[in-house]
Amino acid sequence: MINKNVNLLSIYKMMKLISIIIIVLFSNLANAQKHKIDSLSELKYSELKNKFYDYYDHIKIPQSEHIAKYYLQKAKKEKNSIEIAEGYNLMHFNKDFSTAIKYTDSLTIITKNIKGNLYPARTYLIKGNLYYKNDNLKLALDNYILGLKYAKEQNDEKQTAYANMNIAYINSYIGKNAEAAKIFRYYVYNRNNITDDYQHNQMRIALISCYIYMNKLDSANILIKEGQEYAFTNKNKYNSNLYSYLSGVYDLKLKKYNTAITKLSNVYRYFTNSDENSNINYVLYYLGKSYDGLKNKEKAVENFIKLDSNIQKTDITFPELREVYTYIIDYYKEKNNKEKQLYYIDRFLKVDKKLDEQFEYLATELPKKYDTPNLLQEKEDIIQDLKNRKLVLYTSIGILSVVLLLIVYLYFKAKKTAKEHRKIAQELIQSIEKRNFESTDRKKEVPELPIQEQAEMENKTIKTVPEDVTAFILKELEAFESKQLFLKNGITLANLAKKIKTNTAYLSETVNNHKEKNFNSYLNDLRIDYVLERLVKDKKFRSYKLPAIAEEIGYNNVQAFAVAFKKKTGTTPSIYIKEIENSMIT
């Protein structure tokens, strides 16, 4: 009985001791919390704000949320509308979208009657940033434009700058890097008390990204080193990893794939622990690109699939995803995995639809391997293939047969055309050789040849040219032909008329009536007749390149020569020369 009472007394003492310990612990926690609040109360609004951004920048979410909450409570207690508005702004940072948008709506209400140049421009810029963060670029841009409008109306240089910077972010995001870089570069090198250290660092990061996309790698590398030094000095792990990420992308551009993979993998682990989804997406994209550079398709696809999984969770997209999905689709096409191929075609179409809805700028620096209609058709083909492989096989054989027949048809048509051209060339050669054999005192014009000539004839108009003038012009033309003056470059009706001291009307009519062709045809025929004969006689001339031959006989370029030759003879200069060489061998 005594022992039992002793045990009960011991238990009672122990429970009392535990109670005292609990009371002391709670008292210490309360005192610590009170001390923490008291320590914040000693800070001014500007100091609280700096402390908030310091925690936020270092991804210390609980601490930053605590300061934001205290800031808002303090402002409400003091009935300070400007600071209440700022409290709503701080509160929205770490919240999900639906909660954050409510805080910005409260911000709109509280600042409605506030006079000055800060609002409503700042409200629109804050909302724009929230929409941008949540991948609604259309509403982000709408709000940025409104913010810019009000900032300009209020002559607020700082907020005008912020609006320009934010619009530049969107330009960069949709591929207009040259335009965005101008803005970022200006604010990196011309701060003018507009950007604080945080904003300046963001401009540097954005400019590096633009330079990398624009392949201005030396400029990018200089800024990366500056940024790494800045992050090290400020002991900021978040920024340090951002610059490591950019350095990895820089290495990828230099095809240093293994170095890029090492850097990006380390950054991926950091951002995964900090839950930075938008950054994770880009890191996974460039990891996949790096493995693809090493021809390691399996690892590339592994990272791209992780990227797709993250996209499904966050619904945050970017234009390069088109390349990601086409890569995965091609990979599974090679593996003949129809189910996976079909799945990622569906994923591509969903993402592509969202991108198309958000962006007016559709043409990216990455070429589309598949456009949407082709993918839809391929999707239907795959479904049909899963139902009836034989039908697709027969269809494929039929299509291949048609293609083969078309190729055969084109081949024989080309062969027939070449044969006709060779025949014409042979007849020309034989005709010239026969004429040279029969007479050494030949006429200046080549006699009738079996060629396909369609001379351009001007409509003849009966004009009276004095007989003595006609005789004079014909005599001059005879000299023009015999001295081979037609080989000079730049001959025109006007300068020839001037040279033989007559007018263009008399010269043109004489050529039309006595040569039965217009001046241009007359000139071309003389040149082609000349080159036909000289190519047969002069082996060295035949060895010239076609541009040199064209220049030798008065043409400005080889195209004009080839057209005139084909029109006069019905064959091409190259075939004609080849047939001459063949005839010499035989």
PDB file of all heavy atoms in Angstrom, residues 553-580:
ATOM      1  N   ILE A 553      32.120  37.199-126.724  1.00  0.00           N
ATOM      2  CA  ILE A 553      31.274  37.528-127.882  1.00  0.00           C
ATOM      3  C   ILE A 553      30.287  38.654-127.589  1.00  0.00           C
ATOM      4  O   ILE A 553      29.309  38.850-128.317  1.00  0.00           O
ATOM      5  CB  ILE A 553      30.528  36.281-128.398  1.00  0.00           C
ATOM      6  CG1 ILE A 553      29.575  35.733-127.357  1.00  0.00           C
ATOM      7  CG2 ILE A 553      31.506  35.222-128.857  1.00  0.00           C
ATOM      8  CD1 ILE A 553      28.684  34.606-127.876  1.00  0.00           C
ATOM      9  N   GLY A 554      30.518  39.388-126.488  1.00  0.00           N
ATOM     10  CA  GLY A 554      29.773  40.629-126.283  1.00  0.00           C
ATOM     11  C   GLY A 554      28.617  40.583-125.314  1.00  0.00           C
ATOM     12  O   GLY A 554      27.905  41.584-125.167  1.00  0.00           O
ATOM     13  N   TYR A 555      28.417  39.465-124.604  1.00  0.00           N
ATOM     14  CA  TYR A 555      27.297  39.396-123.649  1.00  0.00           C
ATOM     15  C   TYR A 555      27.753  39.833-122.264  1.00  0.00           C
ATOM     16  O   TYR A 555      28.881  39.569-121.850  1.00  0.00           O
ATOM     17  CB  TYR A 555      26.728  37.978-123.587  1.00  0.00           C
ATOM     18  CG  TYR A 555      25.918  37.622-124.817  1.00  0.00           C
ATOM     19  CD1 TYR A 555      26.479  36.852-125.842  1.00  0.00           C
ATOM     20  CD2 TYR A 555      24.612  38.062-124.958  1.00  0.00           C
ATOM     21  CE1 TYR A 555      25.741  36.521-126.974  1.00  0.00           C
ATOM     22  CE2 TYR A 555      23.868  37.739-126.093  1.00  0.00           C
ATOM     23  CZ  TYR A 555      24.440  36.965-127.099  1.00  0.00           C
ATOM     24  OH  TYR A 555      23.702  36.651-128.210  1.00  0.00           O
ATOM     25  N   ASN A 556      26.822  40.460-121.534  1.00  0.00           N
ATOM     26  CA  ASN A 556      27.134  40.941-120.191  1.00  0.00           C
ATOM     27  C   ASN A 556      27.204  39.802-119.179  1.00  0.00           C
ATOM     28  O   ASN A 556      27.912  39.896-118.181  1.00  0.00           O
ATOM     29  CB  ASN A 556      26.091  41.959-119.721  1.00  0.00           C
ATOM     30  CG  ASN A 556      26.186  43.250-120.493  1.00  0.00           C
ATOM     31  OD1 ASN A 556      27.283  43.696-120.845  1.00  0.00           O
ATOM     32  ND2 ASN A 556      25.049  43.874-120.770  1.00  0.00           N
ATOM     33  N   ASN A 557      26.446  38.745-119.420  1.00  0.00           N
ATOM     34  CA  ASN A 557      26.437  37.620-118.471  1.00  0.00           C
ATOM     35  C   ASN A 557      26.139  36.327-119.211  1.00  0.00           C
ATOM     36  O   ASN A 557      25.629  36.323-120.344  1.00  0.00           O
ATOM     37  CB  ASN A 557      25.423  37.844-117.349  1.00  0.00           C
ATOM     38  CG  ASN A 557      24.027  38.102-117.883  1.00  0.00           C
ATOM     39  OD1 ASN A 557      23.379  37.199-118.413  1.00  0.00           O
ATOM     40  ND2 ASN A 557      23.562  39.344-117.772  1.00  0.00           N
ATOM     41  N   VAL A 558      26.437  35.222-118.564  1.00  0.00           N
ATOM     42  CA  VAL A 558      26.293  33.908-119.192  1.00  0.00           C
ATOM     43  C   VAL A 558      24.833  33.535-119.404  1.00  0.00           C
ATOM     44  O   VAL A 558      24.494  32.795-120.340  1.00  0.00           O
ATOM     45  CB  VAL A 558      27.033  32.839-118.341  1.00  0.00           C
ATOM     46  CG1 VAL A 558      26.295  32.580-117.029  1.00  0.00           C
ATOM     47  CG2 VAL A 558      27.191  31.536-119.116  1.00  0.00           C
ATOM     48  N   GLN A 559      23.939  34.053-118.536  1.00  0.00           N
ATOM     49  CA  GLN A 559      22.517  33.732-118.699  1.00  0.00           C
ATOM     50  C   GLN A 559      21.973  34.278-120.011  1.00  0.00           C
ATOM     51  O   GLN A 559      21.227  33.592-120.728  1.00  0.00           O
ATOM     52  CB  GLN A 559      21.709  34.294-117.516  1.00  0.00           C
ATOM     53  CG  GLN A 559      21.933  33.601-116.182  1.00  0.00           C
ATOM     54  CD  GLN A 559      23.172  34.076-115.455  1.00  0.00           C
ATOM     55  OE1 GLN A 559      23.825  35.037-115.887  1.00  0.00           O
ATOM     56  NE2 GLN A 559      23.512  33.393-114.363  1.00  0.00           N
ATOM     57  N   ALA A 560      22.325  35.535-120.320  1.00  0.00           N
ATOM     58  CA  ALA A 560      21.851  36.145-121.570  1.00  0.00           C
ATOM     59  C   ALA A 560      22.386  35.371-122.779  1.00  0.00           C
ATOM     60  O   ALA A 560      21.667  35.148-123.773  1.00  0.00           O
ATOM     61  CB  ALA A 560      22.291  37.601-121.639  1.00  0.00           C
ATOM     62  N   PHE A 561      23.637  34.947-122.695  1.00  0.00           N
ATOM     63  CA  PHE A 561      24.243  34.161-123.773  1.00  0.00           C
ATOM     64  C   PHE A 561      23.507  32.824-123.950  1.00  0.00           C
ATOM     65  O   PHE A 561      23.181  32.422-125.067  1.00  0.00           O
ATOM     66  CB  PHE A 561      25.721  33.929-123.459  1.00  0.00           C
ATOM     67  CG  PHE A 561      26.374  32.863-124.300  1.00  0.00           C
ATOM     68  CD1 PHE A 561      26.338  32.911-125.699  1.00  0.00           C
ATOM     69  CD2 PHE A 561      27.017  31.785-123.692  1.00  0.00           C
ATOM     70  CE1 PHE A 561      26.932  31.906-126.465  1.00  0.00           C
ATOM     71  CE2 PHE A 561      27.615  30.781-124.443  1.00  0.00           C
ATOM     72  CZ  PHE A 561      27.571  30.846-125.836  1.00  0.00           C
ATOM     73  N   ALA A 562      23.258  32.123-122.835  1.00  0.00           N
ATOM     74  CA  ALA A 562      22.606  30.810-122.905  1.00  0.00           C
ATOM     75  C   ALA A 562      21.202  30.909-123.486  1.00  0.00           C
ATOM     76  O   ALA A 562      20.790  30.070-124.297  1.00  0.00           O
ATOM     77  CB  ALA A 562      22.558  30.180-121.511  1.00  0.00           C
ATOM     78  N   VAL A 563      20.466  31.951-123.096  1.00  0.00           N
ATOM     79  CA  VAL A 563      19.102  32.146-123.621  1.00  0.00           C
ATOM     80  C   VAL A 563      19.141  32.396-125.124  1.00  0.00           C
ATOM     81  O   VAL A 563      18.362  31.816-125.893  1.00  0.00           O
ATOM     82  CB  VAL A 563      18.405  33.319-122.884  1.00  0.00           C
ATOM     83  CG1 VAL A 563      17.102  33.696-123.593  1.00  0.00           C
ATOM     84  CG2 VAL A 563      18.118  32.937-121.430  1.00  0.00           C
ATOM     85  N   ALA A 564      20.035  33.289-125.556  1.00  0.00           N
ATOM     86  CA  ALA A 564      20.148  33.607-126.986  1.00  0.00           C
ATOM     87  C   ALA A 564      20.575  32.374-127.791  1.00  0.00           C
ATOM     88  O   ALA A 564      20.062  32.115-128.899  1.00  0.00           O
ATOM     89  CB  ALA A 564      21.142  34.750-127.184  1.00  0.00           C
ATOM     90  N   PHE A 565      21.505  31.609-127.256  1.00  0.00           N
ATOM     91  CA  PHE A 565      21.999  30.398-127.939  1.00  0.00           C
ATOM     92  C   PHE A 565      20.873  29.370-128.097  1.00  0.00           C
ATOM     93  O   PHE A 565      20.675  28.816-129.178  1.00  0.00           O
ATOM     94  CB  PHE A 565      23.154  29.797-127.128  1.00  0.00           C
ATOM     95  CG  PHE A 565      23.934  28.749-127.860  1.00  0.00           C
ATOM     96  CD1 PHE A 565      25.103  29.062-128.520  1.00  0.00           C
ATOM     97  CD2 PHE A 565      23.488  27.426-127.918  1.00  0.00           C
ATOM     98  CE1 PHE A 565      25.825  28.096-129.218  1.00  0.00           C
ATOM     99  CE2 PHE A 565      24.189  26.453-128.602  1.00  0.00           C
ATOM    100  CZ  PHE A 565      25.373  26.783-129.252  1.00  0.00           C
ATOM    101  N   LYS A 566      20.136  29.132-126.995  1.00  0.00           N
ATOM    102  CA  LYS A 566      19.046  28.142-127.036  1.00  0.00           C
ATOM    103  C   LYS A 566      17.942  28.590-128.005  1.00  0.00           C
ATOM    104  O   LYS A 566      17.375  27.768-128.745  1.00  0.00           O
ATOM    105  CB  LYS A 566      18.476  27.974-125.616  1.00  0.00           C
ATOM    106  CG  LYS A 566      17.303  27.017-125.500  1.00  0.00           C
ATOM    107  CD  LYS A 566      17.750  25.581-125.646  1.00  0.00           C
ATOM    108  CE  LYS A 566      16.592  24.608-125.598  1.00  0.00           C
ATOM    109  NZ  LYS A 566      15.832  24.666-124.343  1.00  0.00           N
ATOM    110  N   LYS A 567      17.638  29.876-128.000  1.00  0.00           N
ATOM    111  CA  LYS A 567      16.586  30.401-128.872  1.00  0.00           C
ATOM    112  C   LYS A 567      16.981  30.286-130.343  1.00  0.00           C
ATOM    113  O   LYS A 567      16.161  29.943-131.204  1.00  0.00           O
ATOM    114  CB  LYS A 567      16.323  31.866-128.521  1.00  0.00           C
ATOM    115  CG  LYS A 567      15.174  32.485-129.290  1.00  0.00           C
ATOM    116  CD  LYS A 567      14.942  33.907-128.806  1.00  0.00           C
ATOM    117  CE  LYS A 567      13.784  34.539-129.570  1.00  0.00           C
ATOM    118  NZ  LYS A 567      13.531  35.925-129.148  1.00  0.00           N
ATOM    119  N   LYS A 568      18.243  30.517-130.648  1.00  0.00           N
ATOM    120  CA  LYS A 568      18.723  30.475-132.025  1.00  0.00           C
ATOM    121  C   LYS A 568      18.884  29.048-132.536  1.00  0.00           C
ATOM    122  O   LYS A 568      18.549  28.745-133.679  1.00  0.00           O
ATOM    123  CB  LYS A 568      20.069  31.226-132.092  1.00  0.00           C
ATOM    124  CG  LYS A 568      20.833  31.085-133.404  1.00  0.00           C
ATOM    125  CD  LYS A 568      20.224  31.904-134.505  1.00  0.00           C
ATOM    126  CE  LYS A 568      21.093  31.837-135.767  1.00  0.00           C
ATOM    127  NZ  LYS A 568      20.435  32.463-136.909  1.00  0.00           N
ATOM    128  N   THR A 569      19.389  28.159-131.643  1.00  0.00           N
ATOM    129  CA  THR A 569      19.773  26.827-132.123  1.00  0.00           C
ATOM    130  C   THR A 569      18.852  25.692-131.684  1.00  0.00           C
ATOM    131  O   THR A 569      18.787  24.657-132.343  1.00  0.00           O
ATOM    132  CB  THR A 569      21.187  26.488-131.631  1.00  0.00           C
ATOM    133  OG1 THR A 569      21.155  26.365-130.201  1.00  0.00           O
ATOM    134  CG2 THR A 569      22.188  27.554-132.023  1.00  0.00           C
ATOM    135  N   GLY A 570      18.183  25.870-130.551  1.00  0.00           N
ATOM    136  CA  GLY A 570      17.354  24.777-130.032  1.00  0.00           C
ATOM    137  C   GLY A 570      18.116  23.835-129.129  1.00  0.00           C
ATOM    138  O   GLY A 570      17.556  22.854-128.631  1.00  0.00           O
ATOM    139  N   THR A 571      19.390  24.108-128.866  1.00  0.00           N
ATOM    140  CA  THR A 571      20.193  23.301-127.945  1.00  0.00           C
ATOM    141  C   THR A 571      20.932  24.249-127.008  1.00  0.00           C
ATOM    142  O   THR A 571      20.741  25.468-127.060  1.00  0.00           O
ATOM    143  CB  THR A 571      21.168  22.383-128.698  1.00  0.00           C
ATOM    144  OG1 THR A 571      21.776  21.486-127.774  1.00  0.00           O
ATOM    145  CG2 THR A 571      22.242  23.176-129.428  1.00  0.00           C
ATOM    146  N   THR A 572      21.783  23.679-126.162  1.00  0.00           N
ATOM    147  CA  THR A 572      22.495  24.509-125.186  1.00  0.00           C
ATOM    148  C   THR A 572      23.978  24.578-125.534  1.00  0.00           C
ATOM    149  O   THR A 572      24.512  23.682-126.202  1.00  0.00           O
ATOM    150  CB  THR A 572      22.348  23.919-123.766  1.00  0.00           C
ATOM    151  OG1 THR A 572      22.982  22.638-123.723  1.00  0.00           O
ATOM    152  CG2 THR A 572      20.888  23.775-123.390  1.00  0.00           C
ATOM    153  N   PRO A 573      24.667  25.634-125.078  1.00  0.00           N
ATOM    154  CA  PRO A 573      26.096  25.760-125.374  1.00  0.00           C
ATOM    155  C   PRO A 573      26.914  24.570-124.863  1.00  0.00           C
ATOM    156  O   PRO A 573      27.819  24.096-125.547  1.00  0.00           O
ATOM    157  CB  PRO A 573      26.503  27.050-124.647  1.00  0.00           C
ATOM    158  CG  PRO A 573      25.244  27.824-124.493  1.00  0.00           C
ATOM    159  CD  PRO A 573      24.164  26.820-124.356  1.00  0.00           C
ATOM    160  N   SER A 574      26.611  24.083-123.669  1.00  0.00           N
ATOM    161  CA  SER A 574      27.402  22.998-123.086  1.00  0.00           C
ATOM    162  C   SER A 574      27.260  21.706-123.885  1.00  0.00           C
ATOM    163  O   SER A 574      28.246  20.991-124.122  1.00  0.00           O
ATOM    164  CB  SER A 574      27.006  22.777-121.624  1.00  0.00           C
ATOM    165  OG  SER A 574      25.623  22.524-121.525  1.00  0.00           O
ATOM    166  N   ILE A 575      26.027  21.402-124.303  1.00  0.00           N
ATOM    167  CA  ILE A 575      25.810  20.194-125.114  1.00  0.00           C
ATOM    168  C   ILE A 575      26.511  20.334-126.469  1.00  0.00           C
ATOM    169  O   ILE A 575      27.129  19.391-126.986  1.00  0.00           O
ATOM    170  CB  ILE A 575      24.306  19.918-125.293  1.00  0.00           C
ATOM    171  CG1 ILE A 575      23.698  19.446-123.957  1.00  0.00           C
ATOM    172  CG2 ILE A 575      24.046  18.875-126.389  1.00  0.00           C
ATOM    173  CD1 ILE A 575      22.207  19.221-123.997  1.00  0.00           C
ATOM    174  N   TYR A 576      26.424  21.521-127.072  1.00  0.00           N
ATOM    175  CA  TYR A 576      27.054  21.771-128.368  1.00  0.00           C
ATOM    176  C   TYR A 576      28.564  21.552-128.281  1.00  0.00           C
ATOM    177  O   TYR A 576      29.162  20.872-129.132  1.00  0.00           O
ATOM    178  CB  TYR A 576      26.738  23.200-128.811  1.00  0.00           C
ATOM    179  CG  TYR A 576      27.315  23.577-130.160  1.00  0.00           C
ATOM    180  CD1 TYR A 576      26.802  23.022-131.343  1.00  0.00           C
ATOM    181  CD2 TYR A 576      28.365  24.480-130.262  1.00  0.00           C
ATOM    182  CE1 TYR A 576      27.331  23.373-132.573  1.00  0.00           C
ATOM    183  CE2 TYR A 576      28.904  24.837-131.478  1.00  0.00           C
ATOM    184  CZ  TYR A 576      28.375  24.268-132.646  1.00  0.00           C
ATOM    185  OH  TYR A 576      28.907  24.602-133.865  1.00  0.00           O
ATOM    186  N   ILE A 577      29.185  22.093-127.230  1.00  0.00           N
ATOM    187  CA  ILE A 577      30.635  21.938-127.057  1.00  0.00           C
ATOM    188  C   ILE A 577      30.998  20.474-126.824  1.00  0.00           C
ATOM    189  O   ILE A 577      31.982  19.955-127.377  1.00  0.00           O
ATOM    190  CB  ILE A 577      31.124  22.804-125.872  1.00  0.00           C
ATOM    191  CG1 ILE A 577      30.981  24.294-126.231  1.00  0.00           C
ATOM    192  CG2 ILE A 577      32.567  22.487-125.506  1.00  0.00           C
ATOM    193  CD1 ILE A 577      31.177  25.233-125.054  1.00  0.00           C
ATOM    194  N   LYS A 578      30.190  19.796-126.015  1.00  0.00           N
ATOM    195  CA  LYS A 578      30.444  18.387-125.724  1.00  0.00           C
ATOM    196  C   LYS A 578      30.381  17.541-126.997  1.00  0.00           C
ATOM    197  O   LYS A 578      31.211  16.640-127.211  1.00  0.00           O
ATOM    198  CB  LYS A 578      29.437  17.876-124.692  1.00  0.00           C
ATOM    199  CG  LYS A 578      29.714  16.458-124.209  1.00  0.00           C
ATOM    200  CD  LYS A 578      28.738  16.065-123.111  1.00  0.00           C
ATOM    201  CE  LYS A 578      29.026  14.642-122.636  1.00  0.00           C
ATOM    202  NZ  LYS A 578      28.085  14.214-121.580  1.00  0.00           N
ATOM    203  N   GLU A 579      29.399  17.824-127.855  1.00  0.00           N
ATOM    204  CA  GLU A 579      29.259  17.075-129.111  1.00  0.00           C
ATOM    205  C   GLU A 579      30.410  17.366-130.072  1.00  0.00           C
ATOM    206  O   GLU A 579      30.823  16.494-130.843  1.00  0.00           O
ATOM    207  CB  GLU A 579      27.915  17.397-129.768  1.00  0.00           C
ATOM    208  CG  GLU A 579      26.715  16.818-129.041  1.00  0.00           C
ATOM    209  CD  GLU A 579      26.810  15.311-128.864  1.00  0.00           C
ATOM    210  OE1 GLU A 579      27.152  14.605-129.845  1.00  0.00           O
ATOM    211  OE2 GLU A 579      26.589  14.838-127.730  1.00  0.00           O
ATOM    212  N   ILE A 580      30.930  18.587-130.055  1.00  0.00           N
ATOM    213  CA  ILE A 580      32.110  18.900-130.873  1.00  0.00           C
ATOM    214  C   ILE A 580      33.278  18.043-130.425  1.00  0.00           C
ATOM    215  O   ILE A 580      33.993  17.448-131.249  1.00  0.00           O
ATOM    216  CB  ILE A 580      32.467  20.393-130.769  1.00  0.00           C
ATOM    217  CG1 ILE A 580      31.377  21.257-131.405  1.00  0.00           C
ATOM    218  CG2 ILE A 580      33.815  20.674-131.458  1.00  0.00           C
ATOM    219  CD1 ILE A 580      31.558  22.745-131.183  1.00  0.00           C
TER     220      ILE A 580
END
